[in-house]
mmCIF file of all heavy atoms in Angstrom:
data_model
loop_
_atom_site.group_PDB
_atom_site.id
_atom_site.type_symbol
_atom_site.label_atom_id
_atom_site.label_comp_id
_atom_site.label_asym_id
_atom_site.label_seq_id
_atom_site.Cartn_x
_atom_site.Cartn_y
_atom_site.Cartn_z
ATOM 1 N N ARG A 1 56.303 -3.508 -102.430
ATOM 2 C CA ARG A 1 57.078 -3.251 -103.621
ATOM 3 C C ARG A 1 57.286 -1.805 -103.928
ATOM 4 O O ARG A 1 58.366 -1.287 -104.297
ATOM 5 C CB ARG A 1 56.492 -3.966 -104.808
ATOM 6 C CG ARG A 1 57.170 -3.741 -106.148
ATOM 7 C CD ARG A 1 58.579 -4.440 -106.166
ATOM 8 N NE ARG A 1 59.147 -4.192 -107.481
ATOM 9 C CZ ARG A 1 59.851 -3.052 -107.868
ATOM 10 N NH1 ARG A 1 60.045 -2.114 -106.920
ATOM 11 N NH2 ARG A 1 60.407 -2.985 -109.042
ATOM 12 N N TYR A 2 56.139 -0.986 -103.700
ATOM 13 C CA TYR A 2 56.209 0.430 -104.191
ATOM 14 C C TYR A 2 56.099 1.537 -103.029
ATOM 15 O O TYR A 2 56.361 2.648 -103.360
ATOM 16 C CB TYR A 2 54.994 0.642 -105.155
ATOM 17 C CG TYR A 2 55.122 -0.195 -106.393
ATOM 18 C CD1 TYR A 2 54.480 -1.323 -106.644
ATOM 19 C CD2 TYR A 2 56.137 0.295 -107.370
ATOM 20 C CE1 TYR A 2 54.610 -2.037 -107.859
ATOM 21 C CE2 TYR A 2 56.130 -0.449 -108.645
ATOM 22 C CZ TYR A 2 55.503 -1.631 -108.789
ATOM 23 O OH TYR A 2 55.600 -2.355 -109.960
ATOM 24 N N VAL A 3 55.697 1.131 -101.917
ATOM 25 C CA VAL A 3 55.550 2.106 -100.815
ATOM 26 C C VAL A 3 56.611 1.912 -99.795
ATOM 27 O O VAL A 3 57.266 2.910 -99.318
ATOM 28 C CB VAL A 3 54.114 2.002 -100.274
ATOM 29 C CG1 VAL A 3 54.072 3.008 -99.054
ATOM 30 C CG2 VAL A 3 53.043 2.151 -101.310
ATOM 31 N N ARG A 4 56.779 0.748 -99.326
ATOM 32 C CA ARG A 4 57.728 0.452 -98.227
ATOM 33 C C ARG A 4 59.100 0.950 -98.525
ATOM 34 O O ARG A 4 59.769 0.772 -99.666
ATOM 35 C CB ARG A 4 57.872 -1.063 -97.999
ATOM 36 C CG ARG A 4 58.678 -1.429 -96.771
ATOM 37 C CD ARG A 4 58.606 -2.883 -96.563
ATOM 38 N NE ARG A 4 59.341 -3.332 -95.335
ATOM 39 C CZ ARG A 4 59.414 -4.509 -94.832
ATOM 40 N NH1 ARG A 4 58.677 -5.494 -95.328
ATOM 41 N NH2 ARG A 4 60.159 -4.729 -93.719
ATOM 42 N N ARG A 5 59.841 1.722 -97.708
ATOM 43 C CA ARG A 5 61.097 2.349 -97.863
ATOM 44 C C ARG A 5 62.172 1.394 -97.375
ATOM 45 O O ARG A 5 62.121 0.849 -96.268
ATOM 46 C CB ARG A 5 61.171 3.694 -97.090
ATOM 47 C CG ARG A 5 60.189 4.652 -97.360
ATOM 48 C CD ARG A 5 60.424 5.313 -98.733
ATOM 49 N NE ARG A 5 59.762 4.611 -99.879
ATOM 50 C CZ ARG A 5 59.992 4.837 -101.139
ATOM 51 N NH1 ARG A 5 60.904 5.765 -101.510
ATOM 52 N NH2 ARG A 5 59.250 4.156 -101.971
ATOM 53 N N PRO A 6 63.237 1.210 -98.258
ATOM 54 C CA PRO A 6 64.334 0.503 -97.787
ATOM 55 C C PRO A 6 65.154 1.219 -96.786
ATOM 56 O O PRO A 6 65.050 2.515 -96.734
ATOM 57 C CB PRO A 6 65.143 0.246 -99.056
ATOM 58 C CG PRO A 6 64.728 1.376 -99.891
ATOM 59 C CD PRO A 6 63.311 1.713 -99.562
ATOM 60 N N HIS A 7 65.840 0.581 -95.918
ATOM 61 C CA HIS A 7 66.631 1.231 -94.885
ATOM 62 C C HIS A 7 67.676 2.124 -95.645
ATOM 63 O O HIS A 7 68.443 1.587 -96.487
ATOM 64 C CB HIS A 7 67.400 0.145 -94.088
ATOM 65 C CG HIS A 7 68.015 0.791 -92.875
ATOM 66 N ND1 HIS A 7 69.261 1.429 -92.936
ATOM 67 C CD2 HIS A 7 67.649 0.818 -91.607
ATOM 68 C CE1 HIS A 7 69.594 1.851 -91.692
ATOM 69 N NE2 HIS A 7 68.605 1.446 -90.878
ATOM 70 N N PRO A 8 67.744 3.382 -95.240
ATOM 71 C CA PRO A 8 68.697 4.277 -96.031
ATOM 72 C C PRO A 8 70.175 3.965 -95.692
ATOM 73 O O PRO A 8 70.560 3.627 -94.512
ATOM 74 C CB PRO A 8 68.348 5.711 -95.433
ATOM 75 C CG PRO A 8 67.707 5.396 -94.072
ATOM 76 C CD PRO A 8 66.973 4.076 -94.200
ATOM 77 N N ARG A 9 70.924 4.003 -96.680
ATOM 78 C CA ARG A 9 72.411 3.718 -96.497
ATOM 79 C C ARG A 9 72.993 4.945 -96.059
ATOM 80 O O ARG A 9 72.530 6.104 -96.062
ATOM 81 C CB ARG A 9 72.992 3.294 -97.818
ATOM 82 C CG ARG A 9 72.415 2.006 -98.448
ATOM 83 C CD ARG A 9 73.098 1.649 -99.762
ATOM 84 N NE ARG A 9 72.603 0.443 -100.236
ATOM 85 C CZ ARG A 9 72.891 -0.125 -101.399
ATOM 86 N NH1 ARG A 9 73.778 0.574 -102.179
ATOM 87 N NH2 ARG A 9 72.403 -1.211 -101.833
ATOM 88 N N ARG A 10 74.262 4.750 -95.506
ATOM 89 C CA ARG A 10 74.941 5.936 -94.941
ATOM 90 C C ARG A 10 75.407 6.900 -96.113
ATOM 91 O O ARG A 10 75.650 6.477 -97.223
ATOM 92 C CB ARG A 10 76.238 5.454 -94.334
ATOM 93 C CG ARG A 10 76.016 4.640 -93.149
ATOM 94 C CD ARG A 10 77.419 4.194 -92.461
ATOM 95 N NE ARG A 10 77.118 3.389 -91.247
ATOM 96 C CZ ARG A 10 78.155 2.886 -90.597
ATOM 97 N NH1 ARG A 10 79.433 3.082 -90.916
ATOM 98 N NH2 ARG A 10 77.900 2.134 -89.545
ATOM 99 N N GLY A 11 75.241 8.241 -95.766
ATOM 100 C CA GLY A 11 75.601 9.179 -96.745
ATOM 101 C C GLY A 11 74.441 9.687 -97.579
ATOM 102 O O GLY A 11 74.670 10.507 -98.458
ATOM 103 N N LEU A 12 73.265 9.186 -97.472
ATOM 104 C CA LEU A 12 72.161 9.654 -98.311
ATOM 105 C C LEU A 12 71.445 10.916 -97.669
ATOM 106 O O LEU A 12 70.590 11.401 -98.419
ATOM 107 C CB LEU A 12 71.069 8.510 -98.293
ATOM 108 C CG LEU A 12 71.548 7.335 -99.213
ATOM 109 C CD1 LEU A 12 70.384 6.336 -99.360
ATOM 110 C CD2 LEU A 12 71.948 7.671 -100.626
ATOM 111 N N GLY A 13 71.894 11.197 -96.599
ATOM 112 C CA GLY A 13 71.314 12.544 -96.030
ATOM 113 C C GLY A 13 70.230 12.399 -94.962
ATOM 114 O O GLY A 13 69.711 11.231 -94.785
ATOM 115 N N PHE A 14 69.803 13.467 -94.573
ATOM 116 C CA PHE A 14 68.775 13.479 -93.454
ATOM 117 C C PHE A 14 67.413 13.153 -93.911
ATOM 118 O O PHE A 14 66.732 12.443 -93.302
ATOM 119 C CB PHE A 14 68.784 14.839 -92.695
ATOM 120 C CG PHE A 14 67.856 14.938 -91.609
ATOM 121 C CD1 PHE A 14 67.948 14.343 -90.445
ATOM 122 C CD2 PHE A 14 66.615 15.710 -91.832
ATOM 123 C CE1 PHE A 14 67.067 14.446 -89.347
ATOM 124 C CE2 PHE A 14 65.711 15.832 -90.969
ATOM 125 C CZ PHE A 14 65.915 15.274 -89.598
ATOM 126 N N GLY A 15 67.159 13.585 -95.099
ATOM 127 C CA GLY A 15 65.769 13.420 -95.726
ATOM 128 C C GLY A 15 65.320 11.954 -95.904
ATOM 129 O O GLY A 15 64.214 11.563 -95.405
ATOM 130 N N PRO A 16 66.163 11.111 -96.580
ATOM 131 C CA PRO A 16 65.720 9.714 -96.684
ATOM 132 C C PRO A 16 65.534 9.007 -95.326
ATOM 133 O O PRO A 16 64.747 8.159 -95.159
ATOM 134 C CB PRO A 16 66.842 9.188 -97.520
ATOM 135 C CG PRO A 16 67.401 10.308 -98.317
ATOM 136 C CD PRO A 16 67.273 11.505 -97.408
ATOM 137 N N ALA A 17 66.420 9.470 -94.413
ATOM 138 C CA ALA A 17 66.285 8.777 -93.035
ATOM 139 C C ALA A 17 65.007 9.104 -92.363
ATOM 140 O O ALA A 17 64.377 8.275 -91.752
ATOM 141 C CB ALA A 17 67.534 9.173 -92.213
ATOM 142 N N VAL A 18 64.539 10.359 -92.485
ATOM 143 C CA VAL A 18 63.257 10.782 -91.892
ATOM 144 C C VAL A 18 62.083 10.073 -92.546
ATOM 145 O O VAL A 18 61.210 9.550 -91.870
ATOM 146 C CB VAL A 18 63.182 12.263 -92.028
ATOM 147 C CG1 VAL A 18 61.796 12.677 -91.536
ATOM 148 C CG2 VAL A 18 64.206 12.987 -91.155
ATOM 149 N N VAL A 19 62.199 10.044 -93.906
ATOM 150 C CA VAL A 19 61.101 9.326 -94.664
ATOM 151 C C VAL A 19 61.047 7.895 -94.245
ATOM 152 O O VAL A 19 60.007 7.339 -94.049
ATOM 153 C CB VAL A 19 61.321 9.506 -96.150
ATOM 154 C CG1 VAL A 19 60.357 8.624 -96.918
ATOM 155 C CG2 VAL A 19 61.187 10.883 -96.680
ATOM 156 N N TRP A 20 62.194 7.250 -94.123
ATOM 157 C CA TRP A 20 62.132 5.779 -93.720
ATOM 158 C C TRP A 20 61.659 5.595 -92.344
ATOM 159 O O TRP A 20 60.774 4.729 -92.057
ATOM 160 C CB TRP A 20 63.578 5.306 -93.732
ATOM 161 C CG TRP A 20 63.717 3.857 -93.307
ATOM 162 C CD1 TRP A 20 63.414 2.742 -93.849
ATOM 163 C CD2 TRP A 20 64.177 3.523 -91.906
ATOM 164 N NE1 TRP A 20 63.662 1.659 -93.014
ATOM 165 C CE2 TRP A 20 64.132 2.206 -91.801
ATOM 166 C CE3 TRP A 20 64.635 4.299 -90.858
ATOM 167 C CZ2 TRP A 20 64.534 1.504 -90.532
ATOM 168 C CZ3 TRP A 20 65.018 3.738 -89.649
ATOM 169 C CH2 TRP A 20 64.868 2.296 -89.610
ATOM 170 N N LEU A 21 61.911 6.546 -91.416
ATOM 171 C CA LEU A 21 61.543 6.437 -90.077
ATOM 172 C C LEU A 21 59.993 6.571 -89.984
ATOM 173 O O LEU A 21 59.259 5.869 -89.250
ATOM 174 C CB LEU A 21 62.181 7.502 -89.145
ATOM 175 C CG LEU A 21 62.034 7.457 -87.711
ATOM 176 C CD1 LEU A 21 62.528 6.069 -87.171
ATOM 177 C CD2 LEU A 21 62.722 8.655 -86.965
ATOM 178 N N VAL A 22 59.487 7.569 -90.605
ATOM 179 C CA VAL A 22 58.056 7.959 -90.665
ATOM 180 C C VAL A 22 57.294 6.658 -91.170
ATOM 181 O O VAL A 22 56.259 6.256 -90.616
ATOM 182 C CB VAL A 22 57.766 9.148 -91.380
ATOM 183 C CG1 VAL A 22 56.239 9.241 -91.572
ATOM 184 C CG2 VAL A 22 58.259 10.366 -90.670
ATOM 185 N N GLU A 23 57.712 6.199 -92.367
ATOM 186 C CA GLU A 23 57.135 5.025 -93.026
ATOM 187 C C GLU A 23 57.159 3.875 -92.076
ATOM 188 O O GLU A 23 56.216 2.995 -92.033
ATOM 189 C CB GLU A 23 57.761 4.723 -94.381
ATOM 190 C CG GLU A 23 57.056 3.699 -95.191
ATOM 191 C CD GLU A 23 57.511 2.283 -94.849
ATOM 192 O OE1 GLU A 23 58.698 2.119 -94.505
ATOM 193 O OE2 GLU A 23 56.659 1.315 -94.987
ATOM 194 N N THR A 24 58.320 3.561 -91.449
ATOM 195 C CA THR A 24 58.451 2.456 -90.639
ATOM 196 C C THR A 24 57.601 2.441 -89.304
ATOM 197 O O THR A 24 57.005 1.489 -88.992
ATOM 198 C CB THR A 24 59.935 2.215 -90.314
ATOM 199 O OG1 THR A 24 60.783 2.119 -91.503
ATOM 200 C CG2 THR A 24 60.195 0.908 -89.455
ATOM 201 N N LEU A 25 57.629 3.565 -88.659
ATOM 202 C CA LEU A 25 56.918 3.573 -87.350
ATOM 203 C C LEU A 25 55.540 3.964 -87.434
ATOM 204 O O LEU A 25 54.778 3.329 -86.608
ATOM 205 C CB LEU A 25 57.664 4.758 -86.524
ATOM 206 C CG LEU A 25 59.178 4.576 -86.166
ATOM 207 C CD1 LEU A 25 59.596 5.806 -85.344
ATOM 208 C CD2 LEU A 25 59.332 3.311 -85.454
ATOM 209 N N TRP A 26 55.057 4.658 -88.451
ATOM 210 C CA TRP A 26 53.575 5.032 -88.366
ATOM 211 C C TRP A 26 52.872 4.555 -89.604
ATOM 212 O O TRP A 26 51.774 3.880 -89.436
ATOM 213 C CB TRP A 26 53.434 6.491 -88.366
ATOM 214 C CG TRP A 26 53.764 7.153 -87.018
ATOM 215 C CD1 TRP A 26 53.170 6.995 -85.870
ATOM 216 C CD2 TRP A 26 55.061 7.874 -86.689
ATOM 217 N NE1 TRP A 26 53.754 7.706 -84.786
ATOM 218 C CE2 TRP A 26 54.933 8.127 -85.307
ATOM 219 C CE3 TRP A 26 56.098 8.304 -87.429
ATOM 220 C CZ2 TRP A 26 55.997 8.927 -84.728
ATOM 221 C CZ3 TRP A 26 57.081 9.049 -86.825
ATOM 222 C CH2 TRP A 26 57.089 9.331 -85.520
ATOM 223 N N VAL A 27 53.407 4.750 -90.826
ATOM 224 C CA VAL A 27 52.615 4.494 -91.983
ATOM 225 C C VAL A 27 52.524 2.867 -92.161
ATOM 226 O O VAL A 27 51.259 2.359 -92.366
ATOM 227 C CB VAL A 27 53.295 4.913 -93.270
ATOM 228 C CG1 VAL A 27 52.453 4.552 -94.633
ATOM 229 C CG2 VAL A 27 53.327 6.473 -93.225
ATOM 230 N N ARG A 28 53.550 2.169 -91.991
ATOM 231 C CA ARG A 28 53.453 0.687 -92.328
ATOM 232 C C ARG A 28 52.459 -0.025 -91.368
ATOM 233 O O ARG A 28 51.715 -0.819 -91.895
ATOM 234 C CB ARG A 28 54.926 0.095 -92.211
ATOM 235 C CG ARG A 28 54.929 -1.262 -92.703
ATOM 236 C CD ARG A 28 56.321 -1.860 -92.510
ATOM 237 N NE ARG A 28 57.390 -1.138 -93.055
ATOM 238 C CZ ARG A 28 58.658 -1.268 -92.929
ATOM 239 N NH1 ARG A 28 59.118 -2.399 -92.288
ATOM 240 N NH2 ARG A 28 59.604 -0.508 -93.494
ATOM 241 N N PRO A 29 52.540 0.097 -90.102
ATOM 242 C CA PRO A 29 51.640 -0.568 -89.130
ATOM 243 C C PRO A 29 50.245 -0.280 -89.447
ATOM 244 O O PRO A 29 49.350 -1.113 -89.413
ATOM 245 C CB PRO A 29 52.094 -0.278 -87.766
ATOM 246 C CG PRO A 29 52.871 0.920 -87.884
ATOM 247 C CD PRO A 29 53.506 0.917 -89.255
ATOM 248 N N VAL A 30 50.000 1.045 -89.631
ATOM 249 C CA VAL A 30 48.564 1.389 -89.969
ATOM 250 C C VAL A 30 48.070 0.865 -91.335
ATOM 251 O O VAL A 30 46.886 0.375 -91.419
ATOM 252 C CB VAL A 30 48.451 2.984 -89.973
ATOM 253 C CG1 VAL A 30 47.038 3.446 -90.429
ATOM 254 C CG2 VAL A 30 48.736 3.539 -88.578
#
């Protein structure tokens, strides 16, 4: 509810995409 990042929509910029990628690949499984 509070940590997991939703998939960034188009046009939100590079920052949200990087945050989503880091959370998805490393933070979430750990």
Side-chain angles (χ1 to χ4, degrees):
R1 177 67 178 86
Y2 293 103
V3 181
R4 185 173 181 175
R5 299 288 91 190
H7 191 283
R9 298 178 180 177
R10 295 181 181 179
L12 289 183
F14 178 75
V18 171
V19 171
W20 172 80
L21 188 64
V22 170
E23 186 275 326
T24 302
L25 293 181
W26 288 289
V27 178
R28 191 183 307 174
V30 173

